[in-house]
Every structure is written in structure tokens, then in C-alpha cells.
Amino acid sequence: MLAKRIIPCLDVRNGRVVKGVNFDGIKDVSSPVELARFYNKSGADELVFYDITASFENRGIFTDVLKTVASEIFIPLTVGGGINTVEDFDRVLKCGADKVSVNSGAIKNPALIGEAAKKYGDQCVVLSMDIKRVDGKFHIFSTGGRVDTGIDALDWAVNGEQSGAGELVVNSIDTDGVKNGFDLEMLSEIQSRVKIPVIASGGAGKREDFLELFKAGVADAGLAASVFHFKEINIKELKEYLKANEIEMRV
């Protein structure tokens, strides 16, 4: 059985790590370089770096900050934000990313997933999905959760896998920052339709939420931000707790 992964996420705006609730009310947290160092030492399995306003501001990612973060860590690094072309993949990988996360760019050009997978391999391409319930259906939102595309999220997940994505990051806007647990209903619907790894994002508030997530069998990894940033959950202690509860972990 493959070990489950614990993944902190750095949401970066203007070179600083920030965090909000339901993708709104953004507050400053810390320096991405300091936090990257901290997570590298604290037992995180991977690290995600999102430049959260790159798509909205129609610009490329902050490569100077990214290069520094990549140079400080020895765990896999996934990077997203403003990824619209294969050239963007190339630029981010050259800055030190191991995987590249695409969201709005794939919505604008669905062929991007396949083009990038063909050039760099499926394992390098992560499809990030911002999902919210609209009239009882799961819709894909773009541009940092600002725009309802009307795309059915379940179909989009299947299309992403078929196009060549090696992994899905499933962000629940409904549970983001609320800290009442992961969106198990939504994750179950997606996980039952794909074979590639699913990373659950949005809703972690306590270590029991991760246990519930993995016991439910709906995700291969749990991603969180504020509970780790503000040291509400210690990653090493979390992994020991999960292992003691019969979840396969790297500790």
C-alpha cells in the first residue's frame, strides 16, 4: 500500500504567503522562503506553491521567489499560478519545480494538459480544480475561484486524467479555510471516477480530519495551509497519530 502524503500549501501574493476563508478575506501570513524551510524540516512529504493572483493579474509567476524557495527544500515541489502555455511549464521547471499545477490555463486551453504531458511526462502535470456547489452540481471555478465556468467538475476530472494529468488537486471552495473537515462527498464522487492520485484540499481543522479523510479512502494526500502555518497542527505529530491509527505514512 502506498503511503499517504501530508502536503502544506503556500498561497503566495505579492511575494508573501497569505490565507483566507472560502477564497476570500485574504490575510498576510509569512515569508514563503521561511515557511518552505520550516516545512522542509518538519516532515512534510511535499510542498505546493501557488501564485494565487497570477491568472487574475494576467502575468507570469514570481520566478525570483520561486527559485529561492526551490533552493531551500529537498522535498518535491509543485508550483502553480499563471500557467497558460508549455513555455510556462518549462520556465517553472527550470526554477526548480518538480511538478507543475495548471488550473485556469487548462480551462482556457484543454489541450495544454496533453501537450505538457507529452513533453514532460504525466508525473509532471497536476490538474488543480477549484470546485463549488451550484444548484446541487459541482462546478469548476477559474481565476482563483472568482469565475463560475459552468463546467461539470466530475466530467472535468475524467477529462483531465484522459488528457494526461498525473494527479488531481481537488480544492473545495465550500470548505476552504472553514476547518470543519474535508469535503468527503465531493472527493468521493471524483475519486470513484479516476485512477490517478487525488490530493484533497480545503477544510482541514484538526488531525482527526486527516484520519477521517484517509479512512474514507477518497484521497491519496491531504493538503492544508493555515492549520500548518499557524502551528495548530504539527506535521510530525500528525503523521505519528495517523500511523498509530493504521494509516500508512512516511515518518
Side-chain angles (χ1 to χ4, degrees):
M1 186 188 291
L2 286 175
K4 302 299 186 186
R5 291 171 285 154
I6 301 298
I7 306 174
C9 176
L10 308 182
D11 292 320
V12 179
R13 183 174 72 173
N14 298 327
R16 297 282 296 175
V17 176
V18 296
K19 192 67 189 99
V21 176
N22 302 126
F23 283 37
D24 205 0
I26 303 295
K27 295 177 183 172
D28 183 84
V29 177
S30 183
S31 149
V33 178
E34 285 174 19
L35 274 180
R37 279 192 204 118
F38 169 71
Y39 290 130
N40 187 65
K41 291 177 185 169
S42 67
D45 294 296
E46 300 184 17
L47 185 65
V48 169
F49 178 112
Y50 285 139
D51 187 337
I52 61 170
T53 53
S55 292
F56 179 67
E57 294 169 3
N58 197 27
R59 59 166 172 77
I61 209 157
F62 288 120
T63 52
D64 52 343
V65 177
L66 175 55
K67 282 179 184 172
T68 309
V69 166
S71 70
E72 292 284 342
I73 65 173
F74 301 95
I75 52 177
L77 175 64
T78 299
V79 176
I83 306 297
N84 295 298
T85 64
V86 172
E87 289 72 30
D88 290 331
F89 271 79
D90 190 63
R91 190 162 45 85
V92 168
L93 290 167
K94 282 177 177 168
C95 286
D98 299 284
K99 294 184 271 190
V100 181
S101 174
V102 61
N103 187 329
S104 297
I107 294 166
K108 287 182 275 192
N109 174 22
L112 176 60
I113 296 169
E115 290 167 6
K118 189 174 180 183
K119 184 166 185 181
Y120 299 109
D122 294 9
Q123 80 290 340
C124 187
V125 182
V126 178
L127 176 60
S128 179
M129 305 163 55
D130 294 335
I131 305 172
K132 189 174 184 179
R133 288 167 178 79
V134 179
D135 299 327
K137 304 248 186 211
F138 296 115
H139 281 202
I140 292 288
F141 278 63
S142 69
T143 327
R146 292 173 178 84
V147 178
D148 180 2
T149 66
I151 297 169
D152 182 276
L154 306 182
D155 292 341
W156 186 239
V158 172
N159 290 340
E161 178 179 41
Q162 291 173 345
S163 298
E167 205 164 55
L168 299 177
V169 174
V170 180
N171 309 298
S172 172
I173 297 175
D174 294 317
T175 61
D176 175 71
V178 179
K179 300 185 181 178
N180 281 335
F182 290 96
D183 197 330
L184 301 182
E185 179 196 17
M186 184 188 75
L187 290 161
S188 177
E189 291 286 348
I190 289 175
Q191 194 269 342
S192 67
R193 288 167 168 79
V194 300
K195 293 184 173 65
I196 55 176
V198 171
I199 299 171
S201 170
K206 55 190 183 300
R207 62 185 191 174
E208 289 81 7
D209 294 333
F210 288 90
L211 180 61
E212 186 180 30
L213 171 72
F214 295 137
K215 287 281 189 189
V218 295
D220 300 87
L223 181 148
S226 57
V227 290
F228 296 144
H229 297 344
F230 299 121
K231 303 186 174 56
E232 294 163 32
I233 297 177
N234 176 287
I235 291 177
K236 280 183 179 166
E237 290 172 3
L238 170 62
K239 292 173 85 172
E240 286 164 1
Y241 163 77
L242 292 169
K243 185 152 189 167
N245 281 277
E246 301 179 340
I247 303 298
E248 187 68 28
M249 302 298 301
R250 294 187 202 92
V251 292

